[in-house]
Amino acid sequence: MGEGLLAPTISSSDSAAGISAVTLETIAAEVGTPTYVYNAAAVRGQYGSLISSLQAVPHRIHYSMKANSSHAILSLLRELGAGVDIVSGGELFRALRAGFRGRDIVFSGVGKTRTELREALTAGILMVNVEGEGELYLLNEIAGELGLVAPIALRVNPEVTVDTPHPYTRTGERGLKFGIAYDEAIPVGRLALSLPNIRLRGLDMHIGSQVSSLEPYRAGTERLLQLYEKLRLEGANDIAYLDIGGGLAVTYDDEKATDVEAFAAAIHGVIQNVPLTLILEPGRFLVGNAGLLLTRVLYRKRSGGREYIITDAGMNDLLRPSHYNAYHHIESVRPTGVRGVFDVVGPVCESGDFFALGRSMDAAEPDDLLTIRSAGAYGFCMSSTYNSRPRAAEVIVDGDRWAVATEREEYADLTGHELTELAWRDV
Ligand SMILES: *Cc1c(COP(=O)(O)O)cnc(C)c1O
């Protein structure tokens, strides 16, 4: 690195910190703030570590694109050889637009519509991860209309206990809305085998998000295998895939990321003697620490005994702190060495509009640039235009070059679908 290329301190929580201060300043000057900045090398690094640890296991990686569905990220992962896990017709549209083929796609989600199922079958996707009897009947009907056979997996709730930082990110416990209750999996499996336009290709689970312990995966995989053995006795001869979902953890603060070597060894131990291909649906693991939110300090303010740093990014840009009480590391692009304790808050008219409360951090001054780290997953894709704030831009950095991936929205984008002349109809 040359003179002036002072990289922000590389914290263990974020490999995107490999982006130099000069680059971040250039991006801020040319694209403005707030802007999401992704590091392609970090995505490649995570993908590479996952597939190399899984060498002994026949597997497919289906990136859970709800974590970050931007075209640049999808293209990057497609080039690396990933497929995708989608949860809506909109994600199917984005996946096909990014060049994924039908057979690269699995379709998850608790409330798929008739239209979405028809679109997915028409695209020839690998599997629909079916969540219940109603969906199975509907899919059978649609497949019949299209003259197709619908490949499916049964998404089973393995009813394992999971420890995630926030209850909203647990999905594999008894009594949650996700999946087929474990004790109903066999009857639903029988139903699948009896329907003429359904082909049972897999068993599936997704236990939660930001799960660093291995035991729930091991236990859940074992429970899926027990179902596999029982369903084979019922005549299920086409099951080829064991989809164990996503949820692999990354480091935001000081928590443990999933040890993928140990993860792979644990799963391998359970499935080594069955002729099934493992499917993984990682989202956060691949992109979480590959992105940051670049924001500029607007004001400093003292009020009621608290010191505030007010940024030009708000909760509409990054919802995780207010929605999940999530921790994000925050650093100045040019730390001065002066530190303090601050509430970092956005401009949105909500007390929940904060990025950090009582945080010991760089004493950033107005006009300084801050990076809000580990914002690559569930960041931009959860952003909204609340308070009529146009959505941020996205930039991707790849080695010694960078490019705008998504242009910043303009005011006119806010009202694009709003009608100023109403076409009244009689009630
Ligand atoms: C959200 C989700 C994932 C990805 O979860 P991560 O924690 O981001 O890995 C995978 N599969 C399903 C079905 C999901 O809903």
Side-chain angles (χ1 to χ4, degrees):
M1 281 195 292
E3 263 285 276
L5 286 178
L6 186 70
T9 328
I10 295 181
S11 77
S12 62
S13 68
D14 193 358
S15 46
I19 302 169
S20 75
V22 165
T23 303
L24 292 171
E25 286 167 346
T26 305
I27 291 167
E30 295 190 18
V31 184
T33 51
T35 292
Y36 277 91
V37 185
Y38 307 117
N39 188 347
V43 177
R44 289 194 195 98
Q46 289 296 96
Y47 189 81
S49 80
L50 188 56
I51 59 167
S52 74
S53 63
L54 285 166
Q55 262 166 7
V57 186
H59 69 271
R60 301 171 60 101
I61 307 288
H62 285 258
Y63 167 57
S64 176
M65 63 179 277
K66 77 176 193 282
N68 185 327
S69 51
S70 296
H71 185 81
I73 296 291
L74 295 180
S75 299
L76 179 58
L77 282 157
R78 186 180 53 71
E79 281 163 22
L80 291 172
V84 282
D85 169 38
I86 63 169
V87 292
S88 70
E91 286 194 351
L92 176 64
F93 172 79
R94 283 179 178 274
L96 295 174
R97 180 170 173 269
F100 290 96
R101 298 153 305 178
R103 62 178 181 275
D104 302 326
I105 301 171
V106 297
F107 189 4
S108 302
V110 74
K112 307 176 193 80
T113 66
R114 178 184 287 270
T115 305
E116 288 173 326
L117 290 170
R118 179 175 287 116
E119 288 164 353
L121 288 185
T122 305
I125 70 166
L126 185 71
M127 298 192 302
V128 180
N129 291 342
V130 169
E131 298 239 359
E133 272 185 22
E135 186 183 342
L136 208 45
Y137 282 119
L138 178 58
L139 197 58
N140 182 60
E141 182 189 317
I142 298 167
E145 287 163 12
L146 293 172
L148 301 169
V149 172
I152 67 141
L154 295 179
R155 175 166 175 186
V156 176
N157 183 340
E159 295 170 6
V160 293
T161 308
V162 208
D163 187 25
T164 70
H166 196 280
Y168 288 180
T169 58
R170 285 170 213 158
T171 55
E173 290 181 13
R174 193 174 159 81
L176 294 179
K177 74 174 178 181
F178 298 99
I180 298 161
Y182 191 77
D183 57 8
E184 284 166 28
I186 296 295
V188 178
R190 271 187 210 126
L191 174 64
L193 293 171
S194 75
L195 293 171
N197 309 317
I198 297 288
R199 185 168 175 218
L200 181 56
R201 295 290 282 151
L203 295 172
D204 168 49
M205 68 178 190
H206 172 65
I207 57 178
S209 199
Q210 188 64 6
V211 183
S212 58
S213 70
L214 305 179
E215 180 50 26
Y217 285 102
R218 200 201 52 73
T221 305
E222 255 177 14
R223 301 203 86 187
L224 287 189
L225 276 189
Q226 286 161 9
L227 290 177
Y228 169 69
E229 299 298 346
K230 285 188 192 153
L231 285 168
R232 274 175 54 91
L233 298 177
E234 306 263 345
N237 297 318
D238 285 341
I239 299 180
Y241 301 108
L242 202 68
D243 183 343
I244 64 169
L248 306 186
V250 301
T251 301
Y252 286 90
D253 183 7
D254 52 9
E255 67 276 54
K256 263 182 31 198
T258 300
D259 175 345
V260 284
E261 291 285 340
F263 171 83
I267 301 304
H268 187 52
V270 182
I271 66 166
Q272 56 186 332
N273 294 319
V274 287
L276 297 176
T277 296
L278 184 75
I279 293 182
L280 284 182
E281 302 168 349
R284 187 191 311 276
F285 182 82
L286 295 177
V287 295
N289 270 332
L292 55 80
L293 177 57
L294 184 62
T295 179
R296 207 177 273 286
V297 177
L298 296 174
Y299 302 105
R300 282 270 300 270
K301 171 160 134 177
R302 189 172 299 151
S303 170
R306 299 186 82 86
E307 286 268 7
Y308 290 97
I309 291 174
I310 300 168
T311 60
D312 66 0
M315 65 185 284
N316 69 297
D317 299 301
L318 177 63
L319 188 62
R320 298 189 71 257
S322 52
H323 186 56
Y324 302 118
N325 200 25
Y327 177 95
H328 286 266
H329 198 67
I330 303 177
E331 271 180 36
S332 290
V333 168
R334 298 274 182 195
T336 59
V338 183
R339 313 259 310 167
V341 175
F342 300 95
D343 287 359
V344 183
V345 301
V348 173
C349 304
E350 297 276 348
S351 303
D353 180 24
F354 62 85
F355 297 116
L357 298 175
R359 178 74 59 84
S360 169
M361 59 176 282
D362 299 319
E365 297 286 346
D367 278 337
D368 285 356
L369 288 171
L370 293 178
T371 54
I372 304 177
R373 304 298 182 83
S374 311
Y378 307 103
F380 182 82
C381 57
M382 288 180 90
S383 67
S384 75
T385 58
Y386 184 43
N387 276 212
S388 289
R389 292 167 47 82
R391 253 179 286 255
E394 291 180 293
V395 161
I396 187 154
V397 180
D398 194 357
D400 56 7
R401 27 177 226 166
W402 65 273
V404 174
T406 308
E407 292 177 342
R408 185 178 310 286
E409 283 185 355
E410 296 172 0
Y411 290 147
D413 294 316
L414 297 171
T415 52
H417 288 277
E418 274 175 32
L419 305 177
T420 49
E421 298 294 330
L422 304 188
W424 293 102
R425 293 166 228 203
D426 293 336
V427 290

